[in-house]
Amino acid sequence: MTHTNTYIGTSNHGFAQYAQDEIRKLFPLTKFYLLVPTEVFLFEVPAEIEDPIAVIKEQEPMFLRHVQPVTQEFEISRTDADIEHLKGWLREAFQAGLILPGEKIATQVRKDERADVPYAPFSIKAAFDEIIVSEILGEPVVRYSDHIISVYISAAKLFVGLSKPSDNLSDWSGGAIRFMKEQDQISRAKFKLLEAEQRFGIDFSVARTALDIGAAPGGWTSLLLERGLKVTAIDPAAMSPRLLGNPLLKIHKKNAGDVKLRDNEFDLLVCDMSWDPRQMGRLVADLLYSLQSGGTAIITVKLMHKKPFQTVRDILRILEPSLFLLKAKQLFHNREELTLYLQKT
Ligand SMILES: C[S@@+](CC[C@H](N)C(=O)[O-])C[C@H]1O[C@@H](n2cnc3c(N)ncnc32)[C@H](O)[C@@H]1O
């Protein structure tokens, strides 16, 4: 029950094949079975690989948003017996010492919309939470858990697995990270930078000055201002009136190619220009003189023409050696994009 080489991987809709390509590169003889076309898949890593998750964490695939182990699977009976099987599994895991009394346990249940079962995912979580409280003497939580129990209800089977949150790549169910929409939020794009902040573990408040290229209407700029940074925003389009007059904000209402900045003026550079990636890369490269050595950059890359690996290689060729890549990841809030996290050499 402890050792598994079977996992469920999740990517953004349309990107599963790329996540699979990346996994196949790590573990060449991996077998894949699609659960939800282009999005969710089961994969079996060759048995001789001892700790696949350690390898996945070390060389994290860009398009693998979330991974959960499958420690046991059950045929679906489409009756409440399914829930009894899962409860039996949880009791066994506790008896085997895989879950300890007092632990915080998050139960995450996902269901393929084609799975025709009479019970709601929430009833599985409720049944588990009852056992966690009354038998395990643990604490059911939503986040910041010691363990996550992941249940996936597919059309034919139930899959269940137990893992540490960090081993799932994201501690959100399926990696679908949700932020509260603020009442006066300037743009949905703000979620991308919020997610990058969490996913890459960035502390924006240690930076002092940021350059935001392609800033309008100002969602990213507003987040950086909230974190206490001085921001220079470049965009020929208009910034939200809500930001105008902020003493920490300087706006260049221009094309990024027409702006002159000071050398080493910034310790953070962000760019969310929804544009041809190579042209965007060249524009950013031309402004890198304004980023201090050791400064960081967060750049959204539009994945045009569906050749994501080539696009990332091309853009890195333009940005390196001035910047080196810390991480490339397709975030949940990226659509046909991915996000690069880089540092100036
Ligand atoms: C997706 S929007 C940015 C959204 C922004 N990050 C936010 O949070 O509100 C892309 C922006 O890039 C700008 N843009 C495109 N080409 C540009 C260029 N050459 N120079 C400056 N800005 C550019 C567009 O005008 C547009 O406002």
Side-chain angles (χ1 to χ4, degrees):
M1 186 145 148
T2 46
H3 187 74
T4 179
N5 278 58
T6 305
Y7 301 90
I8 292 173
T10 303
S11 70
N12 284 4
H13 184 74
F15 288 88
Q17 75 179 92
Y18 303 115
Q20 291 176 12
D21 286 347
E22 292 181 287
I23 292 168
R24 205 176 282 113
K25 239 178 152 176
L26 296 177
F27 315 117
L29 295 173
T30 300
K31 291 190 190 132
F32 295 95
Y33 310 89
L34 270 183
L35 294 176
V36 177
T38 82
E39 202 169 331
V40 186
F41 53 92
L42 191 85
F43 63 102
E44 283 172 20
V45 175
E48 62 273 17
I49 296 170
E50 255 187 36
D51 191 352
I53 288 297
V55 178
I56 285 175
K57 281 163 68 179
E58 180 73 28
Q59 300 170 62
E60 190 176 326
M62 293 186 279
F63 293 99
L64 184 62
R65 192 175 82 202
H66 180 268
V67 65
Q68 67 181 70
V70 174
T71 36
Q72 194 149 345
E73 54 186 73
F74 305 95
E75 295 295 328
I76 280 187
S77 70
R78 294 185 183 79
T79 68
D80 284 347
D82 292 342
I83 299 184
E84 291 309 312
H85 286 139
L86 288 169
K87 284 162 72 176
W89 170 86
L90 178 57
R91 291 189 172 108
E92 266 180 47
F94 178 51
Q95 277 151 23
L98 302 177
I99 299 172
L100 301 174
E103 283 193 334
K104 294 187 168 83
I105 315 284
T107 301
Q108 299 179 347
V109 186
R110 290 191 289 160
K111 177 179 163 299
D112 181 338
E113 58 189 30
R114 297 163 305 177
D116 174 25
V117 292
Y119 41 83
F122 183 77
S123 54
I124 295 177
K125 177 172 162 46
F128 275 17
D129 285 354
E130 200 179 313
I131 295 177
I132 291 164
V133 170
S134 61
E135 298 175 36
I136 297 176
L137 307 180
E139 187 187 339
V141 293
V142 176
R143 298 204 58 217
Y144 310 113
S145 61
D146 298 305
H147 277 112
I148 294 177
I149 300 171
S150 306
V151 178
Y152 191 91
I153 309 166
S154 79
K157 286 185 178 179
L158 279 171
F159 302 97
V160 60
L162 179 69
S163 49
K164 298 264 182 216
S166 61
D167 288 350
N168 289 14
L169 300 184
S170 164
D171 66 349
W172 290 77
S173 184
I177 179 167
R178 308 281 177 188
F179 298 107
M180 289 276 280
K181 191 163 183 327
E182 299 151 17
Q183 233 180 5
D184 57 352
Q185 189 167 317
I186 290 168
S187 68
R188 284 194 65 81
K190 183 176 185 181
F191 290 147
K192 283 191 267 184
L193 193 59
L194 271 167
E195 188 179 350
E197 182 183 38
Q198 274 205 16
R199 187 102 200 195
F200 303 141
I202 305 170
D203 182 359
F204 285 130
S205 64
V206 301
R208 289 172 298 110
T209 48
L211 176 65
D212 187 354
I213 308 171
W220 285 31
T221 290
S222 70
L223 176 64
L224 298 173
L225 290 168
E226 282 161 31
R227 297 288 183 265
L229 279 81
K230 276 171 85 172
V231 182
T232 296
I234 305 177
D235 202 308
M239 297 292 280
S240 162
R242 258 169 276 157
L243 295 172
L244 305 181
N246 187 319
L248 293 178
L249 176 61
K250 186 167 164 185
I251 300 170
H252 293 282
K253 198 168 183 305
K254 287 182 176 172
N255 186 305
D258 300 331
V259 174
K260 187 81 198 100
L261 303 162
R262 278 188 282 124
D263 286 347
N264 306 318
E265 194 179 339
F266 305 103
D267 45 18
L268 174 68
L269 179 154
V270 298
C271 175
D272 183 33
M273 205 188 286
S274 205
W275 218 28
D276 175 275
R278 283 162 206 89
Q279 294 192 47
M280 180 275 287
R282 274 180 223 112
L283 264 182
V284 171
D286 287 346
L287 292 176
L288 280 178
Y289 64 87
S290 68
L291 183 65
Q292 290 165 18
S293 170
T296 47
I298 295 167
I299 299 176
T300 311
V301 181
K302 197 165 177 176
L303 298 173
M304 304 181 31
H305 322 305
K306 285 269 175 195
K307 282 192 180 158
F309 300 117
Q310 187 60 42
T311 302
V312 172
R313 273 197 297 274
D314 288 350
I315 192 148
L316 288 178
R317 205 169 297 130
I318 296 168
L319 297 176
E320 288 167 345
S322 301
L323 295 176
F324 67 90
L325 183 67
L326 297 172
K327 198 148 179 172
K329 192 82 201 173
Q330 185 170 56
L331 305 175
F332 175 64
H333 289 95
N334 284 142
R335 295 286 170 240
E336 302 289 305
E337 308 162 334
L338 62 71
T339 300
L340 302 180
Y341 175 34
L342 310 115
Q343 188 164 30
K344 181 115 184 257
T345 48

